[in-house]
């Protein structure tokens, strides 16, 4: 990972910078309501930027090939797989990660529903699934079972067999009525 | 230890999981989340060949890349280490296994060298510059071909055969001679797949020159096994290896076998002067070179049946393919025999079992490890016999099931099935799916040309194994029994803190352990902290500690319960002294000042803070005769096993036998050959339940793994050992659009073998694989097809139905009826 991070300033490098030849590109993004302006290598993936540069480790990597959705975040209102985007492509965007779901220490109804429905086991896929559910429920407050299945078709869970995830999203939709 | 005084306030209740608070907020701590000062990133250089001689490895171009700190090759590592321990006796025992290939590569994806750099990107770039010259050798990808020894993987062993043994009980020949009918099945095959946990393997290692200790932060799921292998391999005292795990993103057994990569990371750290080394596996690395489940071929099966279709004997030859290196094997060569007769009553059997290496990824324990292959085989046998004899699948099972009144049931090979009620499970499952209705619909649909099948799969999830079974594969193996450790204490300010030697990956151990302790102390589970993950420094592990083999409910919770009971006894003694009364006058509860102990006679009480205060920081008030009270209680639970009879291959190999019975209704599309699940039921019995939604969740998860494996997930190799399914896009793990709604049912037959009546149940016994095979066969039997493979998709069904290439009953099955 590039070592020069903090607020666009070059951090002191004790060793010769291995990536000195690679020109870094400044980007500005708003993540969970907080603005960040940093420089990144062009090849830095959005998920790497979130995890390594911003220390938002709730977003995970599961497959590297856009199948599993463990890296799903919401960018400008749309669920995207952050392992399949460069950080530079997110320049100027508003991003929501799992860390931004709760408000003032109160769980978001989707988080609460996942917990109440036993919709997670190891918890590795859960942030991505909740953000796909977030996109679904922000567009469709009364999703059918088919809508739910389609909305999370790109999120692999290897623990739950999806049954309690279906229940969680149905129950979140109920709880979000009128919100 | 008797469960003296346990309340039943929490065990058995649907307590929300304690783990959720951090996991739902994105605050879980997974191994890849850890960053350390001066950390380097490791990238492996891997073999593109399945079988080749290594002529040369040139790392100079990689080392010249700015930011690369060092490299490692097999030739450099070999003199520094001992080859890994082999569990097999000779010839398998002669195999020399190193974490980096030394003189040849034996599977595609085998690590040949490692590059350590300041960033993952630099390590990736530099790894591509490592020049390896190979000389290709003949690859062997088929197990039966491998046994011909035309191309040998491990010259030092002289053969590809790792292990062979005959498991024979009763009088098979007599039963075959006296049978009313004999069904012969030429070949059945259980495919390779992997439960592919969503989090890949991750290792951070530091060989610290300051204290000459090796520190690991990783997601290995059986650390006490890993340190036994690493200590011998690296020639480092086992006490100088510390392993910590935290949250783990699934394992399903696969992460047991990450010790070779752990070894490389430690050696790399040593070479880099003690800088921590981080290795984060990619998904393709995981699928090509982590571990697969065992592939097994069943040849020359002969089944003796009486006039009523009751199986009296089975004789068969089983060939297990363990891939390029045995690693955890050949334990799988005996572990299947935990469920030797499955759920059936036959007494006579002879299984000739052989394991071979092939030029494929090494296998490792994979959810349902080694038993599911055998249980699938038995279910195939039962269904094929039923079809040949014209007996309905449900009726065939009822005639052959072990009966409820026969428990505890001793199997022909000496295993003791603790409890169960298979006919009742069948009844519950039939009721839930509407069996009779589906039968009618099926008959009507068949008239219209639809291919609909109903299948039943009955399976066992044997838990808490007797490691003495390792002596059946290797009489010199120094393992037997099973144990687990736990610690329960009042910390200095009176907090209840529990540690246990497991490393859960979503099974809710923090929650269920708190439920058990809450009942012992009669307090709310919220007042109990259960440590997350595993740490050798907590001193609660034994050589068996980890999370694997469906056992926490028995081994883990028995250890926790034992430790809590010890703590409770000490607290009671101390409280009786302080409150100037007798121990039997003390009751546990919660008062105005939190959890406390009260004298019933006087109403005087002391809270946990008060007790902890006396022992930890106010000990002058403690009389000498109470100096043994520490309120810090370690307990080691040991399973009541004996060493099995190695010659007869006889003895109890597992403590509990959870069971599951599934029914599926499957339709095969006439035009596309795609199989669709129309209805699905899963019924489980894991004895007394600690937390019902956690159990239900495990059942659903195992069901998804099984359905995925049956229809979608297969590790496919071409004829020269190229892996064709090395990404998720090719391997296609089951998704929310493929997974049917599962109707869930439950019965409870408490185990007499565990203190609580619970049975371990995490693996699920791969019931869907048996069930879907059975349903497909029911749909296709009239077409002259039997399901001879555990993996079936549109392609294989097309090849069977149109191409007539596979599954042809006339070629595979023979029925011989005898005049009686």
């Amino acid at each position: 990972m590039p070592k020069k991070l903090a607020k666009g300033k070059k951090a002191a490098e004790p060793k010769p910078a291995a990536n000195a030849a690679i020109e870094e590109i400044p980007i500005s993004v708003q993540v969970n309501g907080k603005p960040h302006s940093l420089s990144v290598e062009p090849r830095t993936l959005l998920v790497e930027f979130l995890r390594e540069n911003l220390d938002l480790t709730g977003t995970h990597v599961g497959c590297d090939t856009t199948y599993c959705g463990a890296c799903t975040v919401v960018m400008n209102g749309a669920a995207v797989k952050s392992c399949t985007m460069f950080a530079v492509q997110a320049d100027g965007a508003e991003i929501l990660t799992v860390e931004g779901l709760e408000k003032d220490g109160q769980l978001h109804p989707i988080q609460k529903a996942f917990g109440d429905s036993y919709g997670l086991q190891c918890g590795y896929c859960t942030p991505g699934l909740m953000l796909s559910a977030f996109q679904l429920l922000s567009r469709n407050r009364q999703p059918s079972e088919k809508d739910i299945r389609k909305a999370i078709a790109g999120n692999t869970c290897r623990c739950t067999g999806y049954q309690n995830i279906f229940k969680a999203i149905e129950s979140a939709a109920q709880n979000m009525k009128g919100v | 230890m008797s469960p003296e005084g346990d309340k039943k306030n929490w065990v058995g209740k649907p307590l929300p999981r304690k783990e959720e608070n951090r996991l739902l907020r994105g605050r879980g701590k997974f191994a890849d989340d850890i960053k350390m000062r001066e950390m380097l990133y490791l990238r492996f250089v891997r073999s593109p060949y399945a079988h080749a001689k290594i002529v040369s490895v040139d790392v100079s171009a990689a080392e010249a890349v700015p930011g690369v700190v060092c490299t490692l090759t097999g030739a450099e590592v070999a003199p520094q280490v001992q080859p890994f321990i082999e569990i097999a006796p000779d010839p398998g025992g002669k195999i020399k296994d190193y974490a980096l290939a030394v003189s040849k590569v034996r599977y595609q994806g085998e690590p040949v060298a490692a590059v350590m750099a300041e960033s993952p990107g630099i390590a990736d770039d530099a790894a591509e510059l490592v020049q390896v010259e190979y000389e290709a050798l003949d690859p062997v990808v088929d197990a039966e071909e491998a046994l011909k020894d035309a191309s040998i993987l491990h010259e030092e062993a002289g053969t590809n055969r790792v292990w062979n043994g005959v498991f024979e009980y009763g009088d098979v020949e007599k039963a075959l001679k006296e049978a009313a009918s004999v069904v012969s099945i030429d070949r059945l095959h259980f495919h390779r797949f992997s439960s592919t946990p969503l989090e890949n393997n991750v290792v951070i290692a530091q060989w610290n020159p300051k204290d000459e200790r090796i520190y690991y932060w990783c997601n290995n799921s059986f650390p006490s096994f890993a340190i036994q292998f690493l200590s011998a391999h690296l020639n480092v005292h086992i006490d100088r290896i510390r392993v910590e795990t935290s949250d783990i993103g699934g394992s399903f057994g696969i992460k047991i076998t990450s010790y070779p990569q752990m070894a490389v990371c430690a050696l790399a750290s040593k070479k880099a002067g003690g800088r921590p080394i981080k290795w984060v596996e990619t998904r393709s690395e995981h699928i090509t070179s982590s571990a697969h489940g065992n592939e097994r071929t069943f040849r020359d099966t002969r089944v003796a049946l009486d006039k009523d279709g009751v199986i009296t004997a089975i004789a068969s030859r089983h060939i297990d393919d363990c891939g390029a290196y045995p690693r955890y094997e050949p334990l799988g060569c005996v572990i299947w025999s935990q469920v030797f007769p499955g759920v059936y009553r036959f007494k006579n059997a002879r299984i000739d079992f052989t394991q071979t290496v092939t030029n494929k990824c090494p296998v490792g324990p994979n959810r349902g490890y080694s038993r599911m292959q055998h249980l699938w085989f038995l279910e195939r046998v039962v269904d094929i016999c039923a079809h040949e004899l014209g007996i309905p699948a449900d009726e065939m099972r009822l005639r052959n099931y072990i009966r409820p009144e026969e428990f505890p049931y001793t199997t022909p090979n000496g295993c003791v099935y603790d409890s169960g009620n298979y006919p009742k499970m069948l009844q519950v499952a039939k009721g839930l799916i509407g069996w009779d209705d589906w039968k009618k619909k099926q008959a009507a649909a068949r008239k219209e040309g639809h291919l609909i099948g109903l299948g039943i799969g009955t399976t066992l999830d044997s838990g808490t194994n007797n490691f003495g079974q390792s002596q059946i594969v290797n009489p010199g193996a120094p393992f037997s029994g099973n144990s687990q450790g736990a610690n329960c204490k009042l910390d200095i300010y009176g907090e209840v803190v529990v540690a246990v030697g497991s490393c859960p990956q979503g099974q809710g151990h923090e929650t269920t352990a708190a439920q058990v302790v809450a009942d012992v102390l009669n307090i709310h589970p919220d007042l109990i902290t259960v440590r997350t993950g595993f740490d050798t420094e907590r001193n609660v592990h034994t050589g068996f500690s980890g999370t694997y083999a469906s056992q926490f409910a028995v081994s883990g919770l028995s250890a926790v319960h034992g430790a809590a009971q010890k703590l409770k006894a000490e607290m009671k003694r101390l409280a009786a002294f302080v409150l100037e009364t007798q121990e039997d006058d003390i009751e546990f509860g919660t008062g105005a000042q939190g959890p406390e102990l009260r004298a019933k006679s006087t109403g005087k009480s002391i809270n946990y803070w008060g007790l902890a205060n006396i022992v930890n920081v106010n000990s002058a008030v403690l009389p000498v005769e109470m100096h043994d009270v520490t309120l810090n209680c370690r307990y080691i639970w040991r399973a009541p096993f004996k060493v099995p009879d190695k010659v007869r291959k006889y003895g109890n190999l597992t403590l509990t036998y959870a069971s599951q019975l599934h029914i599926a209704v499957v339709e095969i599309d006439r035009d596309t050959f795609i199989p669709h699940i129309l209805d699905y039921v899963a019924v489980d019995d894991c004895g007394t339940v600690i937390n019902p939604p956690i159990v239900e969740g495990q059942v659903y998860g195992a069901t998804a793994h099984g359905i995925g494996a049956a229809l979608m997930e297969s590790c496919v190799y071409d004829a020269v050992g190229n892996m064709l399914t090395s990404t998720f896009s090719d391997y296609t793990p089951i998704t929310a659009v493929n997974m049917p709604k599962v109707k869930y049912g439950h019965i409870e037959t408490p185990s007499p073998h565990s203190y609580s009546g619970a049975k371990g149940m995490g693996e699920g016994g791969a019931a869907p694989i048996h069930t879907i095979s059975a349903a497909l066969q029911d749909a296709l039997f009239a077409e002259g097809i039997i399901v001879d493979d555990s993996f079936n998709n549109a392609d294989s069904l097309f090849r069977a139905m149109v191409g007539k290439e596979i599954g042809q009953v006339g070629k595979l099955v023979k029925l011989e009826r005898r005049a009686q």
Side-chain angles (χ1 to χ4, degrees):
Chain A
M1 286 303 99
K3 284 206 163 180
K4 36 197 150 168
L5 308 177
K7 306 264 155 61
K9 269 198 281 178
K10 264 195 162 188
E13 292 281 348
K15 297 189 178 49
N19 47 353
I22 302 168
E23 195 189 333
E24 299 204 335
I25 296 172
I27 62 168
S28 294
V29 289
Q30 182 140 313
V31 182
N32 303 329
K34 220 170 131 185
H36 297 270
S37 293
L38 305 181
S39 289
V40 295
E41 273 189 45
R43 69 171 168 186
T44 303
L45 300 172
L46 179 57
V47 67
E48 293 170 340
F49 174 75
L50 293 169
R51 289 179 54 82
E52 304 298 330
N53 298 28
L54 302 187
D55 270 330
L56 294 170
T57 53
T59 306
H60 299 141
V61 177
C63 76
D64 318 301
T65 53
T66 328
Y67 187 95
C68 81
C71 63
T72 305
V73 298
V74 170
M75 187 172 95
N76 297 333
V80 298
K81 291 184 176 176
S82 62
C83 80
T84 315
M85 275 190 63
F86 293 115
V88 292
Q89 292 175 289
D91 189 19
E94 274 184 35
I95 292 171
L96 174 69
T97 72
V98 64
E99 289 90 348
L101 276 175
E102 63 185 286
K103 288 276 171 292
D104 307 321
Q106 292 297 304
L107 292 184
H108 187 279
I110 294 173
Q111 290 173 301
K112 199 170 173 318
F114 267 74
D116 291 346
S117 308
Y118 291 76
L120 63 155
Q121 287 178 25
C122 80
Y124 197 77
C125 70
T126 315
L129 267 156
M130 291 193 301
L131 290 161
S132 286
F134 182 92
Q135 172 186 260
L136 170 73
L137 298 179
S138 64
R139 297 174 179 185
N140 178 356
R141 284 296 169 90
Q142 285 181 302
S144 65
E145 188 194 317
K146 202 175 164 189
D147 295 333
I148 293 173
R149 284 172 181 265
K150 223 176 122 188
I152 60 168
N155 292 84
T156 307
C157 171
R158 300 253 65 182
C159 295
T160 64
Y162 304 102
Q163 307 296 306
N164 291 340
I165 294 173
F166 300 148
K167 281 180 211 160
I169 298 176
E170 279 161 21
S171 132
Q174 285 296 320
N175 296 339
M176 285 167 73
K177 267 187 191 157
V179 175
Chain B
M1 178 169 292
S2 72
E4 179 258 319
D6 275 13
K7 298 279 177 185
K8 282 285 175 201
N9 294 333
W10 299 104
V11 168
K13 299 292 184 326
L15 183 72
R17 299 198 323 160
K18 291 170 88 74
E19 291 84 347
E20 303 330 16
N21 186 43
R22 63 178 183 275
L23 295 175
L24 286 170
R25 294 169 191 248
R27 295 181 191 172
K29 188 176 152 197
F30 295 92
D32 188 19
D33 301 344
I34 299 169
K35 240 193 224 177
M36 297 174 72
R37 185 191 288 266
E38 292 290 285
M39 193 157 85
L40 295 174
Y41 298 84
L42 181 148
R43 178 59 57 214
F44 283 109
V45 177
R46 294 176 180 277
S47 169
Y49 289 97
H51 198 189
K53 217 183 259 177
I54 297 172
V55 178
S56 64
V57 181
D58 181 358
V59 294
S60 55
E63 288 192 335
V65 173
V68 169
V69 171
C70 58
T71 61
L72 268 185
T73 63
E76 195 181 345
V77 163
Q80 301 181 47
V81 298
Q82 292 296 316
F84 284 115
I85 295 170
E86 293 297 331
I87 295 168
D90 293 347
K94 288 186 176 156
I95 288 172
K96 295 209 180 335
D97 184 6
Y98 295 95
L100 292 173
V102 180
S103 57
K104 62 189 280 200
V105 288
R106 298 178 175 90
Y107 65 100
Q108 189 181 59
E110 178 166 4
V112 175
V115 176
M116 279 60 71
E118 301 283 352
S119 81
I122 296 170
D124 283 347
D125 293 346
E128 288 183 13
L129 300 176
V130 173
Q131 296 292 319
V132 186
E133 194 186 328
Y134 296 98
E135 192 180 301
L137 298 167
D138 286 340
V140 208
V141 293
D142 177 80
E144 288 182 90
E145 279 302 313
L147 285 171
K148 293 176 186 164
D149 280 343
S151 177
I152 288 181
L153 272 74
H154 299 275
E155 286 75 11
E156 59 274 22
T159 169
N160 290 328
R161 180 167 52 83
V162 175
W163 192 83
N164 170 258
V166 178
F167 297 73
E168 183 160 9
Y169 310 95
D171 192 336
V172 176
E173 293 312 319
K174 183 164 174 270
L176 281 163
K177 206 184 287 173
E178 291 173 357
S181 50
V182 173
V183 174
S184 306
I185 308 165
D186 179 44
R187 182 182 186 272
L188 296 167
H189 174 252
F190 192 94
H191 75 300
R192 252 176 193 253
F193 65 94
S194 167
S195 293
T196 55
L198 200 56
E199 178 200 36
N200 291 300
N201 285 300
V202 177
V203 178
I204 299 168
Q206 184 180 27
W207 195 318
N208 193 329
K210 292 177 187 162
D211 58 5
E212 275 302 316
R213 293 190 71 194
I214 301 172
Y215 294 86
Y216 284 110
W217 300 266
C218 63
N219 55 14
N220 183 286
S221 55
F222 192 173
S224 68
F225 175 83
I227 56 176
Q228 293 175 63
F229 271 62
L230 288 164
S231 170
H233 180 69
L234 299 170
N235 201 16
V236 169
H237 277 199
I238 202 159
D239 171 60
R240 306 195 80 82
I241 303 175
R242 179 175 186 176
V243 181
E244 285 180 74
T245 70
S246 43
D247 288 312
I248 297 180
S251 166
F252 316 113
I254 296 290
K255 286 175 179 163
I256 290 174
T257 46
S258 64
Y259 63 84
Q261 295 90 334
M262 291 170 76
V264 177
C265 291
L267 292 164
S269 173
K270 190 180 192 183
K271 190 168 178 189
R275 292 179 70 176
I277 303 290
K278 184 178 196 176
W279 170 64
V280 181
E281 190 182 45
T282 67
R283 179 53 61 185
S284 291
E285 287 184 296
H286 185 86
I287 302 181
T288 52
S289 54
S290 169
H292 298 159
N294 299 52
E295 181 177 351
R296 200 170 293 169
T297 309
F298 309 89
R299 293 304 309 260
D300 308 328
T301 303
R302 295 178 75 207
V303 188
L305 300 108
D306 73 8
K307 61 181 178 7
D308 299 318
V310 173
I311 294 170
T312 54
I314 297 180
S316 191
R317 207 155 55 79
H318 297 179
I319 302 153
D320 192 86
D321 172 355
C322 73
Y325 296 90
R327 306 249 154 112
Y328 200 80
E329 298 299 326
L331 289 179
C333 295
V334 65
I335 281 174
W336 64 273
S337 72
Q338 296 169 4
V339 294
F340 186 86
V343 291
Y344 300 112
R345 305 178 73 220
F346 63 89
K347 304 275 188 215
N348 309 297
R350 182 179 60 242
I351 308 287
D352 181 328
F353 199 101
T354 304
Q355 186 171 65
T356 179
V357 285
T358 59
N359 292 115
K360 292 184 283 191
C361 177
V363 301
N366 187 40
R367 199 173 202 170
Y369 175 43
S370 189
R371 291 96 87 212
M372 66 178 162
Q373 291 84 348
H374 184 68
L375 292 159
W376 176 82
F377 160 76
L378 290 172
E379 288 295 83
R380 290 286 67 232
V381 163
V382 165
D383 276 313
I384 291 168
C385 291
H387 267 126
E388 288 291 324
L389 298 176
I391 301 168
D394 52 342
E395 181 56 34
M396 183 71 179
R397 285 177 169 75
L398 289 173
R399 291 183 198 179
N400 282 283
Y401 277 152
I402 294 161
R403 294 170 188 154
E405 64 274 16
E406 291 176 309
F407 291 96
Y409 179 82
T410 302
T411 66
N413 62 328
C415 291
V416 184
Y417 289 5
D418 46 350
S419 59
N421 191 334
Y422 314 133
K424 189 173 170 196
M425 290 174 83
L426 180 59
Q427 187 194 350
V428 171
K430 283 169 79 173
L432 278 169
I433 205 153
W435 177 268
D436 296 337
D437 278 355
W438 269 116
K439 276 288 185 193
K440 283 180 206 151
K441 283 187 220 165
Q442 179 190 31
R446 273 189 179 163
K447 280 183 192 152
E448 291 167 20
H450 293 288
L451 295 169
I452 290 182
L454 277 70
I456 300 166
T458 322
T459 203
L460 293 171
D461 190 354
S462 47
T464 309
N465 50 335
N466 177 358
F467 278 80
Q469 61 203 283
S470 61
Q471 299 189 29
I472 290 176
V473 291
N474 184 350
F479 308 112
S480 71
N482 196 331
S483 62
Q484 181 59 289
N487 195 82
C488 197
K489 68 176 179 183
L490 293 196
D491 215 325
I492 297 173
Y493 283 165
E495 305 93 335
V496 182
V497 181
V498 180
V500 57
S502 70
C503 43
Q505 316 112 27
Q507 296 92 339
H509 292 182
E510 288 167 51
T511 308
T512 50
Q515 287 175 274
V516 166
V517 176
D519 276 353
V520 172
L521 299 179
N522 192 27
I523 57 175
H524 195 283
D526 284 354
L527 296 168
I528 296 158
T529 300
V530 181
R531 292 268 178 250
T532 306
F534 182 97
D535 182 354
T536 39
E537 304 286 274
R538 281 185 203 140
N539 199 26
V540 288
H541 66 284
T542 72
F544 302 119
S545 291
T547 293
Y548 59 94
S550 297
Q551 60 174 320
F552 185 76
V554 176
S555 62
L557 293 182
S558 295
V560 167
H561 185 255
Q565 290 268 1
K566 260 175 109 170
L567 176 67
K568 181 183 182 179
E570 286 195 4
M571 289 166 73
K572 194 185 251 188
R573 208 173 128 209
L574 183 60
F577 161 73
V578 175
L579 302 174
E580 298 171 310
T581 184
Q582 301 302 309
E583 283 186 40
D584 58 12
D585 186 35
I586 297 291
E587 64 179 1
F588 285 68
T590 302
Q593 292 187 318
E596 65 177 20
L597 280 70
R598 281 184 296 267
K600 284 179 269 187
S601 55
T602 63
K604 282 197 288 185
S605 69
I606 180 164
N607 68 5
Y608 285 16
W609 179 89
L611 292 174
N613 172 268
I614 292 168
V615 167
N616 291 295
V617 291
N618 205 358
S619 54
V621 303
L622 206 59
V624 173
E625 61 271 24
M626 296 199 76
H627 278 193
D628 58 325
V629 171
T630 63
L631 302 183
N632 191 346
C633 301
R634 180 173 181 264
Y635 180 78
I636 302 294
W637 175 83
R638 287 184 186 82
F641 285 127
K642 292 194 174 73
V643 177
D645 181 327
K646 303 169 222 184
V647 179
R648 288 170 62 213
K649 300 186 173 66
Y650 187 94
N652 191 15
L653 306 183
T654 355
L655 201 59
T656 63
Y657 286 83
S659 49
Q660 284 195 29
L661 192 146
H662 293 204
I663 297 179
V665 184
V666 177
E667 176 167 14
I668 301 160
D669 187 293
R670 278 272 187 196
D671 299 320
T672 64
F673 300 91
I674 294 172
H676 295 284
I677 295 173
L678 304 180
D679 208 351
Y680 202 97
V681 163
V683 175
D684 89 302
D685 173 10
C686 60
T688 306
V689 172
I690 313 293
N691 186 316
I694 288 179
V695 163
E696 199 178 325
Q698 290 291 319
V699 171
Y700 291 142
T703 301
H705 269 138
I707 294 176
L711 298 171
M712 302 174 68
E713 302 178 30
S714 179
C715 297
V716 182
Y717 283 87
D718 71 8
V720 292
N722 291 307
M723 218 244 174
L724 304 180
T725 52
S726 63
T727 71
F728 263 178
S729 308
D730 302 302
Y731 184 75
T732 61
I734 192 163
T735 71
V737 285
N738 316 113
M739 183 64 195
K741 264 262 166 82
V742 176
K743 294 171 180 162
Y744 172 75
H746 176 76
I747 73 163
E748 260 186 53
T749 60
S751 173
H753 293 172
S754 63
Y755 89 86
S756 61
K759 307 181 192 186
M761 55 78 61
E763 293 176 88
I769 309 182
H770 326 329
T771 308
I772 289 169
S773 287
L776 291 171
Q777 187 187 308
D778 186 47
L780 294 175
F781 193 71
E783 316 269 312
I785 290 164
I786 65 151
V787 173
D788 62 344
D789 201 291
S790 55
F791 181 69
N792 296 280
N793 61 6
D795 178 54
S796 61
L797 293 168
F798 177 82
R799 286 170 59 210
M801 294 166 69
V802 179
K804 312 272 183 209
E805 295 164 52
I806 52 173
Q808 303 303 302
V809 67
K811 284 187 194 162
L812 288 165
V813 180
K814 203 176 90 192
L815 169 67
E816 186 190 337
R817 282 190 197 270
R818 309 262 179 77
Q820 288 286 300

